[in-house]
Amino acid sequence: MSVTPDRAADGANRRQFFLAGVVALGVSVTGFVASTLRFLVPNVLYEPPGRFTIGNPADFPPGSVTFLEDRRLFVFNTAEGFYGVSSVCTHLGCNVKRGGPGFQCPCHGSQFDDSGRVARGPAPTPLAWYALSLSARGELVVDVDRTVGPDFRLRV
Amino acid sequence: MTETIVRRTAGWLTAIGRSVARIGWPRTDKDRAAVMISSLFLHIHPARVSRHALRPRATLGLGLVSAVLFGVLTVTGLALMLYYVPYPNEAYRSMKDLQFVVTFGVVLRNMHRWSAHAMVAVVFLHLCRVFWTGSYKAPREFNWIVGVSLLLLTLALSFTGYLLPWDQLAYWAITVGSSIAAYTPLVGREVKFLLLGGHVIGPMTLLRFYVFHCVVLPGLVVMLVSLHIWRVRKDGLSGPTVTVAPVEETGGVFPPSTKTYGLMALTRRPSASVAARDPHDEVFAWPHLLYRELLVTLAVVVALHIVSLLFNAPLEEMADPTRTPNPAKAPWYFLGLQELVHYSAFVGGVLVPTAIVAALIALPYLDRNPHGAGVWFASERRLANTIFTAIVAVAIVLTVVGTLFRGANWAWVWPW
């Protein structure tokens, strides 16, 4: 039995062998790139939880607006009940400040009215309203992963 | 006996020296040309350059100045890495150490920051120069694209760089920058997550930008700059073909070259750019080009030292996620963008920059006008120059507005 130099015993010729090599190289490079991208996505995040307590309702006097700066959250206590408005500008994430009527953003000039609706500027959506609830011990709980509409009130 | 030892030692040393440098200190034009050809670092120069390329106004030396600034940034950056800790708050403290504790730390940091500012300006001016002299035309189309990539890398290096001190500027720049990335269609949120290494800005974010700034981006710049300069070397500088009298060199009248650089067995004809050269217009690169380059390098380094000794690089208060400065302004080169983003995050932050980059990349293939290469503001390309100049003017106006005419809450203020 004789095998010609460019034909192996199973009949694959040089061209097919080369093609198989190119395909194998492509597959391994694609796999490498994909696994590198996946590597960049962390599996464990050491981040503060989205649900946290902010204290007793009695800590917030009636008719007051409290800014919890480390939570980036305005807590309103009105006659109809409690609600929480995020201070994170929906435009590009700066902290809005209360000033005049509503809220003002220092970075790109967005302005919001008292309930967080866009009054002027580039912000695309109103400020986020977070769901408030009471814990078993009667403390106010904020859940930043649950947003609610501007008619939300928590009666205590 | 002693004489023999001295002679033999001298012989060895000469042999070792020659094995390293190949050619001793060159004393003739021929030797100097040989050095340019046989040395790795000088090989990016041709042995001879056209006289027109030596005129300061041909290039304004902007490419060279950018390269020198990148060199200064590499050296000072490596030094700063020895004191910098890429972890929130520690990063800021290491900035304070550099300012007040480390001997010459403040000067090195100043040089790094001012070189970065200068590099953004010079790279941008280099792009303008290449446009206004039509130097992106064939065969330099692709090198223009390499250059555009280098401009983007310069901006990315600047951005990641001023994030690292973890002061207020850094923190809010990351906030705004990653939020702009989130406006990208389809992949925006994933890109933001990858940039931050999570949902919120934290140690992972700083570490990622640190690796980008110190390893990934400089590595890409080194590769692309090498390609950029290599192609300039191969294509020669753009310019009008002129015929002049033979140049008197120290070694005598330079004879017209009859040599072609074609690869005889492989190609039919020599490369066009080599064939088009007029040998009468050329002088030796050493000393004519090399000494000018050394002079420009010296001037840049001296200027950087003077500025760094007189002016301290800015450092704001430590990053405070609860307090946004009012107004929170980016460095000057991003204020035009910030002014645009003030109208719309998607249009100003994604659409316009993407459109500008796409237009710059497509430019050498869209502009089919073959005239005006190597001439400042050539009358044959009045339309192209007018459009480009108008866009540059708009960018400058936006930057000036963002810098001087914007106050608290990004409201309009008069600077006087």
Side-chain angles (χ1 to χ4, degrees):
Chain A
M1 189 180 122
S2 73
V3 176
T4 54
D6 58 350
R7 185 168 287 276
D10 63 351
N13 60 22
R14 275 170 190 262
R15 187 177 292 271
Q16 286 165 334
F17 183 72
F18 180 72
L19 201 66
V22 168
V23 169
L25 187 66
V27 168
S28 45
V29 167
T30 310
F32 176 74
V33 170
S35 56
T36 303
L37 277 176
R38 180 61 189 81
F39 169 81
L40 293 173
V41 181
N43 291 329
V44 180
L45 294 175
Y46 303 92
E47 292 177 354
R51 248 174 89 90
F52 48 85
T53 60
I54 55 173
N56 283 311
D59 299 341
F60 303 89
S64 71
V65 186
T66 312
F67 180 47
L68 304 173
E69 59 175 25
D70 50 341
R71 300 291 188 183
R72 303 178 74 178
L73 179 73
F74 291 100
V75 180
F76 289 76
N77 184 2
T78 61
E80 298 94 59
F82 283 90
Y83 58 93
V85 179
S86 165
S87 75
V88 179
C89 180
T90 52
H91 178 230
L92 290 172
C94 296
N95 259 350
V96 298
K97 289 195 176 86
R98 268 177 68 79
F103 308 91
Q104 323 259 327
C105 179
C107 287
H108 305 96
S110 295
Q111 292 178 20
F112 304 86
D113 67 11
D114 276 325
S115 62
R117 279 189 296 259
V118 182
R120 267 182 62 194
T125 53
L127 295 175
W129 284 48
Y130 293 137
L132 298 185
S133 54
L134 282 179
S135 70
R137 295 159 77 187
E139 288 177 318
L140 280 172
V141 176
V142 183
D143 187 352
V144 300
D145 297 325
R146 260 183 66 213
T147 53
V148 292
D151 50 352
F152 175 90
R153 298 288 185 278
L154 175 72
R155 290 191 171 276
V156 178
Chain B
M1 177 68 185
T2 322
E3 200 184 312
T4 315
I5 292 172
V6 167
R7 204 175 59 240
R8 288 206 171 169
T9 312
W12 283 332
L13 288 177
T14 313
I16 291 169
R18 277 182 178 262
S19 77
V20 177
R22 291 170 191 271
I23 293 156
W25 183 257
R27 300 192 187 283
T28 65
D29 281 337
K30 197 181 158 202
D31 283 353
R32 284 188 275 269
V35 171
M36 302 306 257
I37 293 162
S38 63
S39 151
L40 170 67
F41 297 106
L42 296 175
H43 192 69
I44 55 174
H45 303 83
R48 291 176 284 131
V49 288
S50 74
R51 287 197 291 189
H52 124 89
L54 289 177
R55 290 198 194 107
R57 71 152 197 267
T59 65
L60 306 178
L62 292 167
L64 172 65
V65 173
S66 320
V68 172
L69 288 169
F70 184 71
V72 171
L73 282 161
T74 309
V75 173
T76 53
L78 278 168
L80 293 174
M81 283 174 82
L82 295 175
Y83 284 95
Y84 177 79
V85 183
Y87 197 82
N89 300 358
E90 294 302 317
Y92 187 78
R93 285 187 201 115
S94 51
M95 287 300 115
K96 288 292 184 193
D97 271 2
L98 283 168
Q99 269 188 315
F100 298 113
V101 181
V102 180
T103 308
F104 294 127
V106 68
V107 182
L108 275 177
R109 178 168 178 262
N110 291 349
M111 280 191 76
H112 196 72
R113 180 67 77 101
W114 298 136
S115 310
H117 280 254
M119 191 171 156
V120 172
V122 172
V123 168
F124 174 71
L125 291 175
H126 182 47
L127 174 121
C128 292
R129 193 282 292 173
V130 172
F131 190 95
W132 282 325
T133 58
S135 299
Y136 55 82
K137 292 170 185 290
R140 302 178 182 81
E141 305 100 315
F142 185 70
N143 216 17
W144 165 266
I145 293 175
V146 174
V148 171
S149 312
L150 283 167
L151 171 69
L152 297 179
L153 284 173
T154 305
L155 290 173
L157 273 165
S158 286
F159 181 73
T160 52
Y162 72 76
L163 304 182
L164 300 184
W166 211 250
D167 60 349
Q168 282 282 61
L169 172 69
Y171 187 88
W172 295 102
I174 298 177
T175 305
V176 170
S178 59
S179 300
I180 287 178
Y183 276 86
T184 313
L186 303 176
V187 293
R189 298 183 72 83
E190 287 74 14
V191 169
K192 182 181 179 181
F193 186 84
L194 281 180
L195 283 175
L196 297 186
H199 299 102
V200 294
I201 296 167
M204 284 279 258
T205 314
L206 181 51
L207 199 53
R208 281 183 183 213
F209 283 121
Y210 177 70
V211 173
F212 267 115
H213 184 74
C214 299
V215 182
V216 180
L217 296 174
L220 287 172
V221 168
V222 167
M223 284 197 288
L224 286 187
V225 165
S226 311
L227 175 59
H228 200 60
I229 297 176
W230 182 78
R231 288 189 78 126
V232 171
R233 165 79 178 78
K234 293 293 166 185
D235 295 336
L237 282 178
S238 67
T241 41
V242 283
T243 311
V244 291
V247 181
E248 289 281 338
E249 290 279 352
T250 48
V253 175
F254 194 81
S257 169
T258 51
K259 184 175 178 183
T260 56
Y261 293 83
L263 299 166
M264 257 67 90
L266 299 174
T267 62
R268 294 240 168 82
R269 55 181 175 216
S271 148
S273 61
V274 174
R277 274 189 195 163
D278 179 0
H280 294 307
D281 186 39
E282 289 182 337
V283 292
F284 281 109
W286 185 346
H288 299 281
L289 176 61
L290 200 63
Y291 286 10
R292 282 170 173 79
E293 288 178 339
L294 289 176
L295 201 64
V296 169
T297 305
L298 186 66
V300 170
V301 173
V302 168
L304 282 175
H305 273 92
I306 292 172
V307 171
S308 303
L309 289 167
L310 290 179
F311 304 101
N312 277 344
L315 182 68
E316 299 184 0
E317 288 167 40
M318 195 193 281
D320 184 351
T322 66
R323 261 176 265 266
T324 312
N326 194 0
K329 284 198 181 187
W332 59 269
Y333 41 85
F334 283 138
L335 281 177
L337 212 56
Q338 190 169 358
E339 177 63 20
L340 272 183
V341 165
H342 150 68
Y343 300 104
S344 160
F346 175 71
V347 173
V350 180
L351 200 64
V352 170
T354 310
I356 288 176
V357 171
L360 285 175
I361 288 174
L363 169 78
Y365 304 102
L366 292 178
D367 178 10
R368 310 300 294 270
N369 175 2
H371 301 292
V375 183
W376 279 90
F377 304 109
S379 53
E380 300 97 324
R381 25 193 332 262
R382 190 165 288 146
L383 178 67
N385 279 330
T386 308
I387 295 172
F388 180 80
T389 309
I391 293 171
V392 169
V394 169
I396 291 172
V397 166
L398 285 172
T399 305
V400 170
V401 168
T403 310
L404 298 175
F405 291 83
R406 291 298 182 178
N409 296 327
W410 209 250
W412 186 274
V413 292
W414 298 101
W416 45 83

